[in-house]
Amino acid sequence: QVQLVESGGGLVQPGGSLRLSCAASGFTSDDYVIGWIRQAPGKGHEGVSCISSFDSSTYYADSVKGRFTISRDNTKNTVYLQMNNLKPEDTYTYYCAVTEGGFDVNVVCIHLDTWGQGTLVTVSS
């Protein structure tokens, strides 16, 4: 199965920036949707942003649109999430996640099958 390893989380002040990285391996298909899901204790999860391998179409949650940017390095099988103008309400554990198949990113981003271990982002003064 696909293996995902996240990195880049940490503590940042409001208005600051972080870049998360996800190193992926073990794909069995060239077509997949990969992205970021976030969760906080006692709250539900949210599909933050996703990107497809086959056409690079993207999805962003309304709460992060205009502040976060997802990108891919195909040669390294790595996905990034550039997070700018961070707010305290962005404090979550962020998980890289993937679903193999040529799915619509707008439909599947909240339902990705395989998750990594997560990386904690804390936005606080």
Side-chain angles (χ1 to χ4, degrees):
Q1 62 178 336
V2 179
Q3 304 294 320
L4 306 169
V5 180
E6 304 99 322
S7 62
L11 175 65
V12 65
Q13 294 185 356
S17 297
L18 286 172
R19 186 176 69 176
L20 306 183
S21 298
C22 173
S25 62
F27 290 106
T28 61
S29 174
D30 289 336
D31 295 344
Y32 56 89
V33 174
I34 190 167
W36 299 89
I37 297 171
R38 64 187 187 183
Q39 280 190 309
K43 298 183 179 181
H45 64 281
E46 178 183 25
V48 179
S49 183
C50 288
I51 188 168
S52 70
S53 67
F54 42 92
D55 64 2
S56 295
S57 59
T58 56
Y59 164 85
Y60 294 95
D62 289 342
S63 57
V64 307
K65 194 171 297 182
R67 299 187 296 119
F68 292 8
T69 303
I70 193 168
S71 61
R72 296 166 49 225
D73 184 336
N74 292 335
T75 63
K76 298 181 179 180
N77 288 328
T78 301
V79 177
Y80 304 96
L81 186 68
Q82 179 66 46
M83 305 185 294
N84 297 327
N85 191 25
L86 284 161
K87 303 176 180 181
E89 51 263 45
D90 296 317
T91 297
Y92 289 93
T93 297
Y94 287 72
Y95 298 87
C96 185
V98 66
T99 289
E100 293 192 276
F103 298 105
D104 184 342
V105 296
N106 299 294
V107 174
V108 78
C109 194
I110 195 66
H111 302 298
L112 302 179
D113 292 334
T114 302
W115 294 24
Q117 84 286 353
T119 185
L120 177 62
V121 172
T122 303
V123 185
S124 176
S125 298

